[in-house]
Amino acid sequence: MENHKEIELQLKKNFGHFSDDLVQEILAHGEIVFFPEGELMMDIGQKVEQIPLIVEGNVKVFREDEDDNEILLYYLQPGEACAITMICSAREGFSKIKAIPMEDTRVIVLPISKLDEWMPKYKSWYYFVMDSYQDRFEELLKVVDGIAFKNMDERLLVYLKKSIKANGSTTIHTTHQQIAQELNSSREVIGRLLKKLEQKGLVRIGRNYLEYFGK
């Protein structure tokens, strides 16, 4: 009963556009799961068996190669779900991405079988899934555009703006090495570019964090 009450409150707060009959289905099949900051939430090659709806926290979604180089794809925040996870589950059943909470995170998990079952049954679910696909596709296009058409200094600015938007703060808790991994660059290049931004008054660099003052 407590689980149902919490799910109902979180749905009203973060997914208010869901229809009443869909909410009842989620209450019947959903479960609240907690992921502490930094704990691996989804790994490449992992069997996808649940759909996570984010209700609290902030999740980083990225790709990683065999040498641990990372490419940041996007962040997930309350009211969102991972479209790539949905696509992987529908096609092959195995994840193509990694997901790590950037802060303590709570999600409502649903059986993956409900993804297709609810599409023709509930319009609010259909539009939510379609909107999730479109939003994440646009994010991926920005990543591709950044790699193909932007210099590293431009990509770094995009990264900083995306990070402060996701965190809701001008302070970004990270290191030069972590930024370099996510942008598939080197620590030296990122350090040099950040130093230039600091000289322009756009960032202030601290130990394992930085503040961004740009728009």
Side-chain angles (χ1 to χ4, degrees):
M1 182 63 70
E2 288 298 321
N3 186 57
H4 278 204
K5 288 182 179 178
E6 184 175 4
I7 292 176
E8 190 170 17
L9 288 173
Q10 294 291 0
L11 288 174
K12 287 180 179 179
K13 180 180 178 181
N14 297 291
F15 299 91
H17 54 289
F18 282 173
S19 61
D20 291 341
D21 47 0
L22 174 58
V23 168
Q24 292 305 311
E25 284 266 31
I26 295 175
L27 288 175
H29 300 283
E31 180 183 356
I32 291 281
V33 177
F34 172 77
F35 292 93
E37 177 183 347
E39 179 180 292
L40 188 62
M41 184 173 168
M42 178 65 66
D43 200 1
I44 295 173
Q46 179 178 334
K47 179 73 173 177
V48 179
E49 299 177 311
Q50 296 175 317
I51 306 168
L53 306 180
I54 313 299
V55 295
E56 290 179 6
N58 179 23
V59 179
K60 179 178 76 174
V61 178
F62 60 100
R63 283 279 292 171
E64 184 180 75
D65 67 14
E66 294 178 353
D67 297 321
D68 294 331
N69 296 312
E70 299 176 4
I71 289 290
L72 174 66
L73 301 179
Y74 47 79
Y75 290 98
L76 291 174
Q77 298 176 303
E80 298 180 331
C82 183
I84 293 181
T85 299
M86 293 178 180
I87 293 172
C88 292
S89 65
R91 298 295 298 243
E92 299 176 358
F94 297 94
S95 174
K96 302 295 186 182
I97 53 89
K98 297 187 84 167
I100 294 181
M102 303 306 290
E103 59 188 28
D104 289 350
T105 296
R106 291 156 69 82
V107 304
I108 298 173
V109 295
L110 300 166
I112 199 64
S113 60
K114 299 301 175 183
L115 173 63
D116 291 334
E117 179 184 328
W118 291 347
M119 289 289 281
K121 195 173 180 181
Y122 304 110
K123 283 188 176 181
S124 58
W125 178 255
Y126 172 84
Y127 288 125
F128 170 70
V129 172
M130 292 297 102
D131 287 345
S132 296
Y133 287 163
Q134 180 175 340
D135 291 345
R136 300 289 81 83
F137 178 68
E138 290 175 356
E139 290 283 352
L140 293 177
L141 283 182
K142 292 177 183 177
V143 173
V144 173
D145 286 347
I147 295 172
F149 307 120
K150 295 182 186 294
N151 295 324
M152 185 54 66
D153 55 349
E154 294 177 292
R155 291 178 59 198
L156 177 59
L157 285 173
V158 171
Y159 170 88
L160 295 175
K161 292 175 183 178
K162 185 183 292 187
S163 295
I164 65 171
K165 181 180 179 181
N167 297 330
S169 170
T170 57
T171 300
I172 305 170
H173 294 280
T174 188
T175 65
H176 292 186
Q177 182 61 40
Q178 288 172 324
I179 296 175
Q181 285 182 319
E182 294 185 18
L183 294 179
N184 198 19
S185 182
S186 69
R187 184 184 184 282
E188 292 73 22
V189 169
I190 296 302
R192 185 166 64 249
L193 292 176
L194 285 174
K195 195 65 178 178
K196 289 182 179 180
L197 292 177
E198 187 175 43
Q199 291 169 352
K200 294 179 180 179
L202 292 176
V203 302
R204 183 166 69 88
I205 302 172
R207 184 175 178 81
N208 295 332
Y209 78 92
L210 60 85
E211 289 185 85
Y212 178 65
F213 306 112
K215 296 181 179 179

